[in-house]
């Protein structure tokens, strides 16, 4: 690999990293906008309560488990994007009495 090729690959790698950082910022911003509405908070609570992102995964049926892990990865991404204050607000607002 010559120097020009190395520099080109390095530049592409940096551009990709920058795009990924921008996407993460946009995702967190979108989640924050969703949390601002009661319907959005209710949706996030439903998503978290249905998919349990922090519970262990059972391995029973490979195809079903693959689907569940996909849904769970989305749920985990949403959970990770929430701030602690947002999590508390969602839990408090959606408590079952």
């Amino acid at each position: 690999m010559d120097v020009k090729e190395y520099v080109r690959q390095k530049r592409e790698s940096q551009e990709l990293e920058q795009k990924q950082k921008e996407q993460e910022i946009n995702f967190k911003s979108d989640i924050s906008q969703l949390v601002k509405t009661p319907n959005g908070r209710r949706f996030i609570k439903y998503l978290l309560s249905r998919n349990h992102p922090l519970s262990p995964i059972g391995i029973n049926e490979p195809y079903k488990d693959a689907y569940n892990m996909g849904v769970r990865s989305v749920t985990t991404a949403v959970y990770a994007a929430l701030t602690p204050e947002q999590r508390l607000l969602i839990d408090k607002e959606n408590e079952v009495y």
Side-chain angles (χ1 to χ4, degrees), residues 1-13:
M1 173 186 317
D2 64 346
V3 174
K4 287 181 183 181
E5 180 67 21
Y6 174 78
V7 170
R8 185 185 64 76
Q9 286 180 355
K10 185 72 171 172
R11 188 175 336 110
E12 288 176 356
S13 175

Side-chain angles (χ1 to χ4, degrees), residues 11-64:
R11 188 175 336 110
E12 288 176 356
S13 175
Q14 290 171 341
E15 289 172 0
L16 180 61
E17 286 178 21
Q18 182 63 31
K19 285 180 183 179
Q20 288 173 338
K21 286 179 185 177
E22 289 172 6
Q23 285 178 338
E24 183 176 341
I25 290 168
N26 290 339
F27 180 73
K28 287 183 178 184
S29 174
D30 292 344
I31 295 297
S32 292
Q33 290 296 320
L34 193 59
V35 170
K36 289 181 182 179
T37 66
N39 289 343
R41 291 189 293 271
R42 199 167 38 252
F43 169 74
I44 290 174
K45 180 64 177 182
Y46 169 78
L47 185 68
L48 294 174
S49 64
R50 185 182 184 298
N51 297 302
H52 310 290
L54 302 178
S55 64
I57 300 173
I59 301 174
N60 299 328
E61 301 174 36
Y63 299 110
K64 196 175 198 181

